């Protein structure tokens, strides 16, 4: 994934930084270096802390965060170039970017998967991530946020095993965040939370429009609400 991700931002920035978990044993570092990126291998700190570290390491006024399974579309690249060339006194500290989410080769439009705006283009000195959030991190801005029209393409899930592994990790991290915040599991959560999640995504947010893939994704996320609260219940017993 990393080679195509870097190719999608080729020529877009004065510097490209790949901040890599030092436990990585594949060819990611080699591929990134061959693409002209500066690669740093450092201990994993958590999603929010890792992004704060990246902000500290970069030197430009604007920083675009891109994960390895994401691509910048040409339309988005053109918008970013225009922003970088504009005067610095706009008052905007960051930009929300709409994102296409692709699951099993299908870009989903319902279920809350679109427009899935991400706050990814940040004025470096005006942004900070809340490191208490272990998953689904987001930036806090010292200033206003604008909206862009160009998209990020997210090649989210391609295999069932990948879906299960990813959601299992998220469920544990979400349970840890709830536990640290003083939340405790109640038996009603094991019925109410998955029912609400499925109803919200499949009916209210139109997951039904994406056919079998939409049903699979809405059902999977509902199931992992049960897993999340099971983890939370386990944390209470430690």
């Amino acid at each position: 994934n990393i080679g195509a991700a870097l190719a999608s931002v080729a020529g877009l920035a004065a510097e490209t930084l790949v901040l890599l978990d030092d436990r990585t044993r594949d060819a990611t570092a080699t591929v990134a270096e061959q693409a002209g990126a500066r690669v740093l291998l450092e201990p994993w700190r958590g999603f929010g802390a890792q992004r704060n570290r990246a902000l500290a390491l970069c030197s430009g006024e604007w920083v675009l965060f891109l994960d390895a399974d994401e691509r910048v579309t040409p339309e988005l690249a053109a918008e970013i170039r225009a922003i970088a060339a504009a005067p610095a006194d706009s008052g905007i500290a960051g930009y929300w970017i709409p994102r296409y989410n692709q699951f099993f080769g299908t870009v989903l439009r319902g279920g809350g998967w679109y427009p899935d705006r991400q706050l990814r283009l940040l004025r470096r000195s005006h942004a900070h991530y809340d490191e208490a959030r272990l998953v689904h991190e987001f930036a806090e801005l010292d200033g206003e946020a604008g909206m862009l029209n160009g998209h990020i393409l997210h090649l989210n899930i391609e295999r069932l095993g990948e879906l299960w592994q990813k959601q299992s990790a998220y469920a544990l991290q979400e349970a840890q965040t709830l536990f640290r915040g003083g939340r405790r599991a109640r038996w009603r959560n094991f019925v109410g939370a998955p029912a609400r999640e499925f109803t919200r995504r499949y009916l209210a947010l139109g997951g039904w429009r994406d056919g079998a893939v939409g049903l699979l994704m809405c059902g999977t996320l509902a199931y992992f609400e049960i897993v999340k609260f099971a983890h939370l219940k386990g944390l209470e017993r430690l």
Side-chain angles (χ1 to χ4, degrees):
N1 269 317
I2 190 69
L6 292 171
S8 75
V9 294
L12 184 59
E15 62 177 350
T16 305
L17 171 69
V18 174
L19 187 55
L20 193 60
D21 183 348
D22 64 2
R23 298 169 296 180
T24 300
R25 295 293 179 266
D26 60 17
T28 299
T30 300
V31 173
E33 288 173 343
Q34 290 174 346
R38 178 164 63 106
V39 178
L40 293 177
L41 278 75
E42 298 191 359
W44 177 253
R45 303 170 176 82
F47 291 107
Q50 206 78 347
R51 292 189 188 273
N52 282 333
R53 175 65 172 154
L55 286 171
L57 289 168
C58 291
S59 59
E61 179 185 7
W62 290 99
V63 174
L64 172 70
F65 279 103
L66 191 71
D67 293 339
D69 59 357
E70 295 175 332
R71 313 286 182 262
V72 169
T73 61
E75 295 79 11
L76 175 59
E79 283 186 283
I80 293 173
R81 288 191 181 94
I83 290 167
D89 58 352
S90 65
I92 299 294
Y95 285 92
W96 292 94
I97 301 173
R99 185 170 69 167
Y100 294 126
N101 280 286
Q102 180 174 298
F103 293 88
F104 307 105
T106 299
V107 173
L108 300 190
R109 294 289 184 164
W113 297 110
Y114 185 80
D116 190 30
R117 291 185 175 88
Q118 303 290 308
L119 188 57
R120 292 291 192 81
L121 184 62
L122 308 175
R123 197 182 294 273
R124 186 171 57 86
S125 60
H126 290 67
H128 181 81
Y129 284 86
D130 179 5
E131 298 183 10
R133 292 178 63 93
L134 299 183
V135 66
H136 303 311
E137 71 285 356
F138 62 89
E140 298 171 346
L141 300 180
D142 178 18
E144 298 297 318
M147 296 280 188
L148 297 183
N149 296 314
H151 289 71
I152 290 173
L153 172 61
H154 186 198
L155 307 180
N156 206 319
I157 297 292
E158 298 174 345
R159 299 178 302 277
L160 279 173
E162 181 186 1
L163 172 62
W164 207 256
Q165 183 180 28
K166 183 176 184 179
Q167 293 306 133
S168 296
Y170 279 175
L172 176 57
Q173 291 167 330
E174 288 172 356
Q176 291 171 336
T177 299
L178 291 175
F179 183 72
R180 292 179 181 181
R183 178 76 178 272
R184 296 296 180 264
R186 301 290 181 264
W187 290 113
R188 63 177 179 271
N189 297 140
F190 290 90
V191 176
R196 284 192 298 273
E197 183 70 359
F198 184 81
T199 301
R200 181 178 73 90
R201 287 189 175 274
Y202 194 70
L203 298 178
L205 296 177
W208 55 269
R209 293 183 297 168
D210 295 310
V213 176
L215 178 60
L216 171 65
M217 292 307 305
C218 294
T220 298
L221 268 63
Y223 169 75
F224 275 99
E225 285 294 297
I226 300 174
V227 175
K228 177 178 72 177
F229 283 103
H231 282 311
L232 181 58
K233 198 70 176 177
L235 291 171
E236 295 170 24
R237 294 170 177 165
L238 295 179

